[in-house]
Structure formats: structure tokens, C-alpha cells
Amino acid sequence: MAEQTLRTLMRTTDIVVTGLFSPAAVAAIGLADLFARLPLRIGLGLGSGAIALSSQDTGASKTRRVSDDEGVGDAESDATANRNEAITQAIVIGILAGVPFVLFGLFAGEAAIAALGAPPDVAEMGGTYLAVIFVTAPARHVALIAARSLQGTGDTRTPMYVNVVSNLFNILGTVALGLGVGPVPRLEILGVGIATAFGNLLTAVALLAAIRGPWAAASFARPTDPTIAKQLLEVSAPRIAEGLAATVAEFPFNAILLAFGTEVNAAYQIGRRMHQQVTSPLSRGYHVAASVIVGQSLGEGHPDRARFEGWASSALGLVTVGTIGILLFFGAEWFVRLFTDDPATLEYAADFARVYGLVSPFLVLYVVLSGALQGGSDTRTPFVARTTGMFGFMVGFSWLFGVYLGFGVEGVYAGIFLYFVWALLVVAAGFRWGGWAGKAAAMMEERGSVEEAS
């Protein structure tokens, strides 16, 4: 959770610094982030497959280590070898998948942002930022996959140390290069992009060194088993599709916001960022923790314990993040003043922050249960929940009531709220009645990490 806090603080710093330039700069970085989420989604998707297989095989290796005296010691080495190969394959795929984004950022970034309806100055600033950060898209993939891989083994400290250092450099670089502190030139939005790109590269190199070194439980292995590759893609594909669909949905949603004015779009970026800063570190931490403990429990052969741990993690998230959401609702205007002093933007930003404060209990339950399902190799249920929710409510409902029926921005507020309520209902039903535990057991048997049931 410490690394998530600093990662979110880093992104918040980007918004705060660009907010000192102009509302147009905030809108530019917000629109550029729509495209920047594409490599993020792929990296997180491949990371989901890596953490699922890594945690399950780590649990299986623990069980076989305990049973070694009974003559099943080879199964431990099989599970460990499978884990290392899954990690290696995920990282290689991530590097290759990042190359197209490098080309896109260099040659099509500004035009893509302009196609959303952004004014010329916003498109120019956003295109500059996008070109810089997309150069390190392969490194961003590696950083996400490697971190999830290590977390799956139970090692959450190494990714934390690496990301803490990297994010601190990123924050300092954003302030120095963006504002021109001391002898450093004032590069504004270009400087913000350079700091982000450097952070991506530093994180990737450090995590690769950690896996290669002797102090991590995981290591690299030559990819030879097509079954592992198939399972990795089977788990990762719905997660990637979920993220890409969510990113695609953000385009018409931001077009809806832009129809109400640049100030409304900037206000949404600020309100959401404020919410993410105070709730996402805990939510994402619980998500990862649920994936790891559920996956390892399944690997150890305890599906009932895995189910209990998923519900227990959700309850913890509800108490903590739900409380923070209530505080955000009542203190919304004070919080968003940290980001802007523009009167028109401030009013809408406070309203968006209040909406996100209200949905915090639903959001954290959805996020944690999605992580628990991920540990059981079920990424399809969260895909259905998020995709139908975003297109049905966040986009569809917002357009119908906000634009077509003329309710204005209030229709957008309602669409956001209904989206998270719906997403929670779907994943809760999947976790309660879905067959994820049996699926995980069958996949472990198929790749040889556990013995086939007699």
C-alpha cells in the first residue's frame, strides 16, 4: 500500500503542477492519460496472469515442501519451475507489446487527442506529453508485470522499495522540470512527461535486476512449455480486454464532459484524482493482497479458506476505504482547492469528488472481490462487470440523461454512481456462486504444478 500511495501521489503531483500552468494544461494531461492507459491496461492484464499463476504455484510448492517426506518432492520443483517460466513469458510478451505504443506516441499522439474534440492548444500539449511517456511503454509493461510476479510469491517488499524510490524521483523530477526549480529549465508539460518516462525506466530495470538476483524467490527460466503460455494468456486476455474496454469507454465519456466545457472536463480529472489519492492506495493494496492470499490458498489445496479470505479482505476494505469516502464527501471543496483556484472548475470538481466519495464503499468492494477472483484465475467476471457498467451507465446513462434529456452534469454524476453499484453486484455474484476455485485447481493440474486428483 505504501508503493500505491506514492504512485498515486506522483500522478496527483502531475495534476497539481500542470494546474499551475492553466486549466487547458490539466485537460491536456487528462486527455493524454486516456491513451496512456492503453499500455497500462496491457501491463496490468499480463500482470494479472503472472500474479495468478505465481501465487498458485507458490502455494503448491509450499504444500509439496511440507509433504516432501512422503515422496512427492519433485512436485515442488515442478511448481517452482512453472512459476518462473510464467513470469519470464509474461515479461517477454510485455516488452513486445510495448513497441507499437512507442510508434503511436511519436507519430500520432497530437492528432489522436485532437480527434477527441480538444482545442488546438490542448491537443499540442497533450501530444507532447504522450510522445514522451510512450517511448518507455515497454518499460512500463515490464515494471507492472515484474512487480505482480514478485507479489505473487509473497514478496511485496521488493516492489515496494523499488517503486517508492522510483516514484520519489518522479515527483521531484516533475516539480523541478515542470516548474524550473533552481538551475533546472522550466519545461512545463514536457518536463512532467520526462519525469514520468524516467520513472518507468528506472522501475523496470530495478525489478528485472531483483528477479535476476539471488534475493528474490522468483527467477527467470527459458520459455518451453506452451501450456503455461496458453494459461497465462487465458487469464490475462479478459483483464486486458477489460482495461482496453474501460479506456475506450473513457473517450465518449470525456467527449460528453467536453460538451459541457473544458472546465467540466478539468473538474472531472481533478475530482477523480483527488479520490484516487486518498482511496486508491488502500483499494489497490487490498486488490493485490486478495489475489495473493486467495491464489496461494488454492495452490495449497484449501478452497474454503480462499473463499473466506476473499470476503474478509473485502470487509476490511469496506471499513477503511468506506470511511475515507465519507470524509471526502464532506471535505470535498477543501480538498479540490489544492488542485485549482479557478471558480468554475472548483465548483464542478467538488461535486465530482463528492460523487466519488459516495461510491467509495461500492468501489472498494468491487476492486477487492475482483482481486480475489483473479487469484482464482477468473478474470472474465470482472471483465463483464466493468465493461457493462461503463458502457451501460457511465457512458450510456450519462449521455441519455445528461445530454439527450437535458439534465446536464447531474446526469453524469448519477451515471458514475450507478456504474460502480452495478459492477459490485456482478463480481459479488461471481465470487459467491462462480466456479473459480475448481477452475484454478484444474489449471494447476494441467500445467503439472499439483498432482492430478485420483
Side-chain angles (χ1 to χ4, degrees):
M1 292 180 185
E3 65 176 286
Q4 297 293 345
T5 300
L6 275 175
R7 180 71 190 181
T8 307
L9 179 60
M10 180 271 290
R11 302 301 298 127
T12 301
T13 303
D14 289 352
I15 298 294
V16 172
V17 171
T18 53
L20 297 176
F21 307 148
S22 66
V26 176
I29 200 171
L31 293 172
D33 274 344
L34 294 178
F35 294 95
R37 290 174 200 166
L38 294 172
L40 171 66
R41 303 308 187 190
I42 293 177
L44 289 175
L46 291 169
S48 296
I51 198 172
L53 271 62
S54 176
S55 61
Q56 292 167 12
D57 288 344
T58 297
S61 68
K62 290 178 181 178
T63 299
R64 295 309 179 189
R65 192 158 55 242
V66 171
S67 304
D68 188 51
D69 291 339
E70 300 177 11
V72 292
D74 288 342
E76 178 193 343
S77 60
D78 288 342
T80 301
N82 288 341
R83 177 192 66 197
N84 294 338
E85 182 167 344
I87 292 171
T88 305
Q89 290 194 26
I91 289 175
V92 171
I93 294 171
I95 293 172
L96 297 176
V99 174
F101 293 108
V102 176
L103 301 177
F104 180 89
L106 292 175
F107 300 108
E110 182 175 342
I113 294 176
L116 296 177
D121 59 333
V122 173
E124 181 181 0
M125 288 187 291
T128 299
Y129 174 79
L130 192 62
V132 174
I133 63 172
F134 264 16
V135 168
T136 57
R140 181 70 172 130
H141 286 172
V142 170
L144 291 166
I145 296 165
R148 298 304 185 277
S149 299
L150 289 172
Q151 288 165 346
T153 68
D155 179 7
T156 57
R157 291 189 176 185
T158 299
M160 179 191 70
Y161 294 147
V162 170
N163 279 290
V164 164
V165 173
S166 174
N167 289 328
L168 285 174
F169 273 111
N170 197 330
I171 291 169
L172 294 174
T174 293
V175 174
L177 293 171
L179 301 177
V181 177
V184 179
R186 181 184 173 97
L187 301 179
E188 297 195 352
I189 204 165
L190 173 62
V192 175
I194 292 174
T196 300
F198 176 78
N200 291 340
L201 186 61
L202 177 61
T203 304
V205 171
L207 288 174
L208 288 177
I211 295 175
R212 181 68 178 84
W215 55 84
S219 62
F220 295 116
R222 185 182 299 275
T224 58
D225 191 343
T227 299
I228 294 177
K230 177 180 73 72
Q231 291 189 359
L232 178 66
L233 293 176
E234 181 181 346
V235 177
S236 300
R239 185 76 166 90
I240 293 173
E242 172 195 341
L244 294 178
T247 300
V248 169
E250 287 278 4
F251 291 114
F253 182 72
N254 273 268
I256 292 171
L257 296 174
L258 285 170
F260 297 116
T262 301
E263 291 81 9
V264 173
N265 186 278
Y268 168 71
Q269 311 299 339
I270 292 171
R272 185 182 63 170
R273 179 60 59 192
M274 186 68 259
H275 176 263
Q276 289 176 338
Q277 180 60 57
V278 298
T279 65
S280 288
L282 285 173
S283 296
R284 293 172 182 170
Y286 293 140
H287 173 89
V288 171
S291 294
V292 173
I293 61 178
V294 168
Q296 291 194 3
S297 293
L298 292 172
E300 293 171 6
H302 302 297
D304 290 338
R305 189 175 75 193
R307 194 176 300 275
F308 170 80
E309 288 169 339
W311 289 120
S313 299
S314 301
L316 181 60
L318 178 62
V319 172
T320 53
V321 177
T323 301
I324 295 173
I326 294 173
L327 296 176
L328 177 60
F329 176 83
F330 288 105
E333 186 171 345
W334 183 86
F335 282 122
V336 298
R337 285 186 183 276
L338 299 174
F339 293 82
T340 182
D341 57 2
D342 180 71
T345 304
L346 179 63
E347 179 182 356
Y348 287 115
D351 287 340
F352 276 113
R354 291 188 186 98
V355 171
Y356 274 105
L358 284 177
V359 302
S360 293
F362 304 98
L363 188 154
V364 69
L365 289 174
Y366 158 71
V367 169
V368 178
L369 289 176
S370 295
L373 287 168
Q374 176 179 280
S377 299
D378 178 7
T379 50
R380 292 184 181 181
T381 300
F383 163 72
V384 172
R386 191 173 189 184
T387 303
T388 56
M390 288 204 76
F391 282 100
F393 293 102
M394 193 166 177
V395 175
F397 187 95
S398 295
W399 176 83
L400 178 62
F401 284 86
V403 179
Y404 186 77
L405 296 179
F407 285 91
V409 184
E410 287 76 11
V412 177
Y413 300 152
I416 294 173
F417 183 85
L418 292 173
Y419 155 49
F420 287 109
V421 173
W422 168 258
L424 168 60
L425 292 175
V426 175
V427 295
F431 189 74
R432 173 63 179 82
W433 292 291
W436 48 272
K439 176 183 179 180
M443 292 178 68
M444 285 187 286
E445 288 182 7
E446 182 184 18
R447 65 179 181 267
S449 295
V450 298
E451 292 184 330
E452 294 187 11
S454 56

